[in-house]
Amino acid sequence: MRIRDALSAMDIEDPNPHADLWVWYGKWSDGSLPTYQSRRRYITDLYEPLLDALHSTSRTVIKPQEPTGWMRVDRSMEKIGNALERARDEEDFQSVGLLCREAVISLAQAVYDPEKHGALDGVPPSPTDAKRMLESYIAQELQGSAYDYQRKFAKAVFDLAVNLQHRRTAKFRDAALCAEATRSMINTIALLSGQRDPER
């Protein structure tokens, strides 16, 4: 059952239809697999798709990101990619959410200037209040109604990361989605800040 549980955590279905060795014995002794070669072929066909799926999960899930120039942000994204590749159970996937949250906090700290950006409600955000720092940053950098969607995007990514940390049934897709959303958010802010501008 531990194998089946581990595969389930990776969103991979266990291909083995035999609950135990006695069930398997009943299968190969019923005459449908009369030779060693036929039994070997049966097992190969049964597990080959699983092996392909496991090999594919060992590849890089999150594409390497072009450095932003913000060292802590870049280190965080590298850690997120590594953690996602190694993740195998709920606790591992939750830890990806924690890393995503820390990456967003580092991003907010990199771009937020309290004197320039202030606070939308007049109350200075704490050093770890990434949502409010990014809201204020976007509001100042993109004056008018044009910033509304960017602000919602920033809030949604942060909330997704926090939600994943507390989700005891977190799976691979949850963690991968959170990591990809975080990467997109970092790239968006990097573009807004001029970090992606071509060198002149």
Side-chain angles (χ1 to χ4, degrees), residues 60-67 183:
T60 301
V61 179
I62 299 298
K63 296 179 181 178
Q65 178 163 305
E66 180 184 348
R183 186 172 78 103

Side-chain angles (χ1 to χ4, degrees), residues 18 27 44 46 55-56 69 96 113 116 146-147 150 168 172 174-175 188:
H18 311 295
K27 169 65 180 176
T44 298
L46 194 65
H55 288 153
S56 68
V96 173
D113 182 341
K116 179 181 179 181
Y147 71 80
Q150 287 88 339
R168 299 189 64 82
F172 168 78
D174 301 313
T188 298

Side-chain angles (χ1 to χ4, degrees), residues 110-120 125 132-133 135-143 192-194:
V111 298
Y112 177 75
D113 182 341
E115 293 186 3
K116 179 181 179 181
H117 301 125
L120 295 180
R132 294 179 64 235
M133 284 192 284
E135 282 179 353
S136 298
Y137 170 80
I138 292 172
Q140 289 298 321
E141 297 297 323
L142 296 176
Q143 295 286 338
L192 294 178
S193 68

Side-chain angles (χ1 to χ4, degrees), residues 85-195:
E85 288 184 17
R86 295 193 302 266
R88 292 294 180 268
D89 52 38
E90 287 89 346
E91 291 79 11
D92 293 338
F93 298 132
Q94 286 175 325
S95 72
V96 173
L98 177 61
L99 289 171
C100 289
R101 178 178 178 273
E102 293 301 317
V104 174
I105 290 174
S106 294
L107 173 67
Q109 292 172 343
V111 298
Y112 177 75
D113 182 341
E115 293 186 3
K116 179 181 179 181
H117 301 125
L120 295 180
D121 57 5
V123 179
S126 72
T128 58
D129 193 344
K131 281 201 297 185
R132 294 179 64 235
M133 284 192 284
L134 289 174
E135 282 179 353
S136 298
Y137 170 80
I138 292 172
Q140 289 298 321
E141 297 297 323
L142 296 176
Q143 295 286 338
S145 60
Y147 71 80
D148 189 44
Y149 288 105
Q150 287 88 339
R151 184 182 65 191
K152 290 179 180 178
F153 179 57
K155 290 175 63 178
V157 170
F158 192 83
D159 288 343
L160 178 62
V162 172
N163 176 266
L164 180 61
Q165 294 171 56
H166 300 291
R167 189 179 303 175
R168 299 189 64 82
T169 58
K171 294 188 176 182
F172 168 78
R173 292 179 187 175
D174 301 313
L177 176 62
C178 187
E180 185 60 36
T182 301
R183 186 172 78 103
S184 297
M185 180 179 179
I186 289 172
N187 281 328
T188 298
I189 299 298
L191 286 167
L192 294 178
S193 68
Q195 292 292 106

